[in-house]
Amino acid sequence: MNIQTRKTKENTMNSQAQPYQPLTSENAAVVLVDHQVGLMTGVRDYSTGELKHNVVALAKAAKALKLPIVVTTTARDSMWGPTFPELVEALPGIKIIDRSTVNAWDDPRVAAAIEATGRKKLIIAGISLEVCAAFPAITAIGKGYEAYVAVDASGTFSDTKREAGLLRMQQAGVIVSDYATLMVEILKDNARPEAAAVYNALDMPWATLVGQISKAYGRQSAAA
């Protein structure tokens, strides 16, 4: 076994040995990178409508769960245009930090905003997946954070870019997931008062049946 193979095996074993520490409303923050009109036009792994839906749903659910949210764009007034309107509307009052750096974390204002959240688990989404989401996620790992990338609230321009981006993130220790799973992991308990708002944000209003069934069962039990 050569040195590189041994190191890879050791890293895998160490990663598997770490106990599961779930995302919570107290330890997580959301970072949304470059969901801009110009970049959206090049996305090929999701339709524009589906990607918009997913990003807005993530933002609304994060708000319902009272998570800190950092939003940034790059070259907004020159190359890539503004954040798409539906996301701006979903995040009233949140300042969008425009920068010139490729890696969002290289901008001191973005880095300071992330650090100011005081959270060590970062849920990141961006366009493109392999750059705008991956670079800050990999940087976060190097700085001692835990990074989660919501792949279906991100998008990219070819299958090759998507596959390469996912592989590179996983090699760096980034956790990849879908946006809804990350949000319901934070919700944790369907009895929480935020549950209906979270499921509605995720465009899952039928999930409120959980609460309705629970209430009905409770009444039946009381009557018995």
Side-chain angles (χ1 to χ4, degrees):
M1 181 184 299
N2 61 39
I3 293 174
Q4 185 60 46
T5 302
R6 184 167 66 248
K7 285 183 177 179
T8 301
K9 186 175 182 180
E10 288 172 355
N11 289 339
T12 301
M13 291 175 64
N14 289 338
S15 176
Q16 291 173 342
Q18 292 177 356
Y20 169 57
Q21 296 180 335
L23 292 159
T24 70
S25 294
E26 290 71 40
N27 66 20
V30 172
V31 182
L32 301 177
V33 185
D34 300 355
H35 291 93
Q36 296 166 253
V37 173
L39 290 168
M40 290 282 292
T41 62
V43 171
R44 295 293 179 266
D45 51 345
Y46 292 98
S47 69
T48 300
E50 183 179 6
L51 183 55
K52 281 186 173 184
H53 169 275
N54 294 351
V55 179
V56 170
L58 171 60
K60 288 181 176 179
K63 280 189 61 181
L65 291 164
K66 301 178 176 61
L67 303 181
I69 304 173
V70 177
V71 186
T72 180
T73 56
T74 183
R76 177 175 59 211
D77 298 323
S78 55
M79 296 177 68
W80 303 125
T83 302
F84 68 82
E86 295 89 340
L87 181 56
V88 175
E89 184 180 347
L91 297 172
I94 292 183
K95 181 181 178 181
I96 299 175
I97 303 169
D98 190 53
R99 62 184 207 286
S100 62
T101 61
V102 173
N103 184 345
W105 209 298
D106 288 341
D107 187 292
R109 296 165 301 161
V110 176
I114 294 172
E115 291 163 6
T117 68
R119 308 300 176 86
K120 298 300 289 185
K121 294 177 181 285
L122 304 178
I123 297 169
I124 301 171
I127 303 173
S128 66
L129 172 71
E130 78 286 354
V131 173
C132 301
F135 286 2
I138 293 169
T139 303
I141 295 293
K143 292 182 178 292
Y145 291 81
E146 292 181 38
Y148 300 71
V149 167
V151 295
D152 55 349
S154 305
T156 192
F157 314 129
S158 71
D159 290 340
T160 299
K161 287 181 177 293
R162 180 179 178 83
E163 293 170 9
L166 292 171
L167 180 59
R168 184 173 182 183
M169 286 190 288
Q170 290 172 315
Q171 289 170 335
V174 176
I175 297 171
V176 296
S177 186
D178 64 280
Y179 76 92
T181 296
L182 296 169
M183 292 298 100
V184 297
E185 179 177 351
I186 293 171
L187 177 64
K188 189 175 181 178
D189 189 340
N190 287 310
R192 282 180 61 172
E194 301 93 339
V198 170
Y199 286 122
N200 282 332
L202 300 178
D203 198 19
M204 297 166 60
W206 49 266
T208 56
L209 284 171
V210 173
Q212 294 168 354
I213 292 169
S214 177
K215 288 180 182 179
Y217 180 77
R219 286 196 295 267
Q220 291 173 358
S221 298

